[in-house]
Amino acid sequence: MSYDLVIFDNDGVLVDSEPVSNRLLAEYLTELGFPTTIEDSYRDFMGTAAHRVHDVIGERYGATLPADFDELFHARVFDAFAAELTAVRGAEQLLGELRRSSVPYCLASSAHHAWIRTALDLTGLRGYFAEERIFSAQDVGVGKPAPDLFLHAARTLGADPARCLVVEDSVNGVLAARAAGMDVYGHAALTDPVKLTAAGATGLVGELSEVAALVGRG
């Protein structure tokens, strides 16, 4: 089918940030006395909003993270991003193709607005997104797997959820898209494709270049 709107997750779909951020999160939590491996971080936090880290530590340890945890963690990540962050292969080419073909698209991420913009700036992708086409879980107060963020993006841009295509790399993102009544293709870079399919992914893409064909532009 043709789609009225393509919605991209950011981390792991457009920018290759997940290995960096999850490594640093695991290290920081371990420093604070909550032993965490990068595999634990991927499992528990990938594709979720920042408050999920606080929720898990509270549930698992009955503890509270420091008041400045988010600020200091973001500072560590942004420093690492400046040295390490790159765009996902094919991201710039795909966005350029969609723009040239006048295919409406936007970004909807569980990350904070500052995180999203820092990542886009460092990877050279910021110019592909007008401000009104960047959506964060901050806008709705809840992250994925709740459908609120995707529904907010579609509503703001005047798109019928049933005619939206989401590109996601996490189970929580797939669950959110399906709950919103949207088609969703899993970009299985770090997540087991079997898990993405089990969560309800409409299909899978191995490379971002395949997305153009899904909207009839490939």
Side-chain angles (χ1 to χ4, degrees):
M1 66 176 292
S2 61
Y3 293 97
D4 294 340
L5 179 66
V6 181
I7 305 176
F8 291 100
D9 178 44
N10 191 43
D11 295 297
V13 172
L14 297 177
V15 300
D16 195 17
S17 54
E18 295 290 7
V20 179
S21 61
N22 282 281
R23 183 189 78 230
L24 293 175
L25 179 56
E27 290 175 356
Y28 194 14
L29 289 175
T30 300
E31 286 176 22
L32 293 173
F34 310 110
T36 305
T37 66
I38 189 170
E39 291 78 16
D40 294 333
S41 186
Y42 283 138
R43 183 194 65 231
D44 294 334
F45 307 122
M46 185 172 158
T48 64
H51 67 78
R52 175 65 180 160
V53 181
H54 297 264
D55 294 344
V56 167
I57 295 302
E59 294 164 4
R60 192 165 293 164
Y61 296 98
T64 301
L65 291 171
D68 59 356
F69 175 85
D70 289 351
E71 178 183 354
L72 294 179
F73 173 58
H74 286 180
R76 290 189 183 197
V77 170
F78 292 166
D79 285 345
F81 277 2
E84 302 177 47
L85 190 63
T86 60
V88 170
R89 184 172 62 183
E92 185 167 10
Q93 294 87 338
L94 173 60
L95 294 174
E97 173 62 20
L98 295 181
R99 185 163 67 180
R100 287 189 296 274
S101 301
S102 299
V103 175
Y105 64 88
C106 69
L107 183 159
S109 169
S110 286
H112 288 180
H113 276 291
W115 178 300
I116 297 168
R117 284 160 175 76
T118 296
L120 293 177
D121 284 339
L122 289 170
T123 55
L125 299 180
R126 180 73 172 272
Y128 291 96
F129 291 94
E131 284 296 308
E132 64 271 18
R133 291 182 176 270
I134 299 176
F135 300 94
S136 162
Q138 284 182 292
D139 302 331
V140 294
V142 62
K144 307 163 189 176
D148 304 49
L149 176 57
F150 288 140
L151 291 172
H152 171 63
R155 183 170 56 250
T156 300
L157 297 176
D160 179 353
R163 296 186 61 81
C164 292
L165 171 66
V166 177
V167 184
E168 267 287 355
D169 71 321
S170 72
V171 167
N172 283 320
V174 170
L175 290 171
R178 296 305 292 166
M182 300 176 178
D183 281 355
V184 53
Y185 273 72
H187 184 247
L190 292 172
T191 304
D192 184 344
V194 173
K195 292 182 179 180
L196 295 174
T197 301
T202 311
L204 301 171
V205 293
E207 298 287 343
L208 286 179
S209 58
E210 297 173 46
V211 175
L214 297 175
V215 294
R217 302 294 176 175

